[in-house]
Amino acid sequence: MPSAEGHSIETARPVSRRPGIETPPDWCYTKPYDTYYLVRDAVCGVLSGSVVTRIEKSDGTVVVTGEAKVNVVPFTYTSTSGSTWAHQVQVSAYQAWGDARLAEAHGQATVSGECEWLNSSFPRQKIYPDVTAAGEAYFDTLATAPGEVGTCRSTWALTFSVPGYPDTGPHRFRMLDVRCDNAVGGSSGVGCVIPAAAAPVIYNRAEAPELAAHVELAQQSGLPGASPQHALNRTRDQGTIDRNRSLACGDAPSIPGKSCDEYPPASSRQGLTAGGERRTFDNCGFSLPRQTGPTGVSVCMINEKDNSKQGRWHQRDYSHWRVLDGDRFFIWIR
């Protein structure tokens, strides 16, 4: 049975979640196995392994008497507006023969970091046939005072038992970090996220078509921020934000009803304070090169009502997804 340590990590599409007991989402099972997939408030994966029973004969030879092919599904989910988070695990054998058909699983959850164990349960349960053994564990952050940020990591230690054979394990399934805080602007109280996942900032194309059009062109030209794999990083330093805006739009032309939009946005560490040059597109009001590549910023004069919505959308999603200084985020246009 493999440990969860060392498995690869990829980002799933963001989804809307609610706090409370949940089963793993569909995308845990529809993607390749032995990889963790994550969104801002959940991480899960299907990890494969096997339970093998063996006996040693009097002449020292070892005979395999059974094998169960097993899937282990660790699943952590958080609440962006609550202090409690959960780590669940499911175990099932999808194929078995011999004595391994009688295999059972049980487990114990532990946690480290700035949080405390609340409760957990994974009693001895059969894993074959057509049954799923399951355990649940719940934890609470200790980072509750204003301005505090705390990180935790939980582990399920699973043991497999077959009557007449020694137990095997514990096999440890250590989950990705959970971060809880009472420090994000625009939000009251404590909430928890999976900080390894980039947060989505959603732009509504129907509400701000000129903004969406410019951002899409900028992303297509090679600038980062279109996906979690090519994310931006938030800056909360007001001096950097102001400097990004000034370098990008300080000489913007005066066009009635329009204002200057820069991409990547000024609240990212990928603004012009990080280096690079300005670029633009046709009908944007600037006499600048049309360039490609991952550095610099694109500027365009767009409908000022469109532009004003951008800031509100960033504050909304930075707050909801608890995007702290340096956190990764991406622009999702829908």
Side-chain angles (χ1 to χ4, degrees), residues 31 49 59 68 91 112 119 121 140 158 176 178 185 187 195 197 205 209 211 215-216 235 243 270 273 282 298 330:
K31 294 178 178 293
D59 62 1
V91 185
S112 61
N119 61 75
S121 175
D140 210 359
L158 302 184
L176 301 183
V178 170
S187 177
R205 185 191 310 274
L211 171 65
V215 171
E216 281 188 326
T235 179
R243 184 66 173 156
Q270 286 74 22
T273 55
D282 293 342
S298 175
F330 65 102

Side-chain angles (χ1 to χ4, degrees), residues 145-197:
E148 283 193 331
V149 180
T151 300
C152 309
R153 181 171 283 199
S154 57
T155 301
W156 270 106
L158 302 184
T159 299
F160 293 87
S161 304
V162 178
Y165 294 85
D167 287 352
T168 59
H171 304 276
R172 302 188 185 279
F173 294 83
R174 192 180 185 207
M175 190 49 90
L176 301 183
D177 285 350
V178 170
R179 188 190 70 202
C180 303
D181 75 87
N182 192 1
V184 66
S187 177
S188 59
V190 180
C192 303
V193 296
I194 311 298

Side-chain angles (χ1 to χ4, degrees), residues 10-328:
E10 293 188 16
T11 303
R13 200 61 163 164
V15 295
S16 176
R17 305 188 57 80
R18 297 175 298 175
I21 297 174
E22 299 195 26
T23 56
D26 290 343
W27 43 260
C28 284
Y29 304 98
T30 58
K31 294 178 178 293
Y33 287 5
D34 297 312
T35 296
Y36 277 146
Y37 298 93
L38 61 159
V39 292
R40 192 66 172 175
D41 59 355
V43 54
C44 66
V46 181
L47 312 180
S48 58
S50 62
V51 177
V52 180
T53 54
R54 301 176 177 88
I55 58 172
E56 184 175 350
K57 301 176 69 173
S58 58
D59 62 1
T61 60
V62 176
V63 177
V64 175
T65 60
E67 180 181 12
K69 295 184 178 180
V70 175
N71 286 332
V72 177
V73 185
F75 172 41
T76 285
Y77 62 91
T78 72
S79 168
T80 60
S81 58
S83 63
T84 301
W85 53 279
H87 183 179
Q88 300 177 6
V89 64
Q90 297 183 355
V91 185
S92 61
Y94 59 91
Q95 183 179 341
W97 65 273
D99 290 347
R101 292 176 295 177
L102 302 176
E104 298 175 324
H106 59 97
Q108 179 64 49
T110 57
V111 72
S112 61
E114 295 159 292
C115 53
E116 60 183 351
W117 177 90
L118 293 179
N119 61 75
S120 65
S121 175
F122 195 156
R124 188 183 298 265
Q125 301 165 65
K126 290 185 178 298
I127 63 173
Y128 183 85
D130 300 322
V131 292
T132 298
E136 299 174 347
Y138 298 91
F139 311 97
D140 210 359
T141 183
L142 299 176
T144 57
E148 283 193 331
V149 180
T151 300
C152 309
R153 181 171 283 199
S154 57
T155 301
W156 270 106
L158 302 184
T159 299
F160 293 87
S161 304
V162 178
Y165 294 85
D167 287 352
T168 59
H171 304 276
R172 302 188 185 279
F173 294 83
R174 192 180 185 207
M175 190 49 90
L176 301 183
D177 285 350
V178 170
R179 188 190 70 202
C180 303
D181 75 87
N182 192 1
V184 66
S187 177
S188 59
V190 180
C192 303
V193 296
I194 311 298
V201 176
I202 298 173
Y203 289 7
N204 188 312
R205 185 191 310 274
E207 293 185 19
E210 291 190 16
L211 171 65
H214 174 227
V215 171
E216 281 188 326
L217 286 172
Q219 292 174 341
Q220 291 166 6
S221 74
L223 292 171
S227 69
Q229 293 76 23
H230 301 93
L232 302 167
N233 299 89
R234 185 185 182 187
T235 179
R236 298 179 74 179
D237 180 74
Q238 193 59 49
T240 298
I241 294 170
D242 292 343
R243 184 66 173 156
N244 281 338
R245 285 177 177 149
S246 176
L247 289 172
C249 294
D251 63 350
S254 178
I255 303 176
K258 292 185 178 290
S259 62
C260 178
D261 177 50
E262 77 273 16
Y263 184 88
S267 59
S268 75
R269 293 185 178 181
Q270 286 74 22
L272 281 177
T273 55
E277 299 178 349
R278 291 191 299 171
R279 67 181 73 165
T280 193
F281 299 96
D282 293 342
N283 303 313
C284 277
F286 284 88
S287 297
L288 293 168
R290 278 64 168 164
Q291 295 178 340
T292 60
T295 60
V297 302
S298 175
V299 293
C300 189
M301 300 299 292
I302 66 171
N303 184 292
E304 60 185 8
K305 292 183 179 179
D306 282 20
N307 214 2
S308 67
K309 291 174 183 177
Q310 181 184 44
R312 295 198 298 271
W313 290 340
H314 275 265
Q315 267 316 120
R316 175 199 64 197
D317 291 333
Y318 286 164
S319 176
H320 176 74
W321 295 113
R322 313 194 76 87
V323 183
L324 301 182
D325 191 62
D327 277 5
R328 298 167 60 246

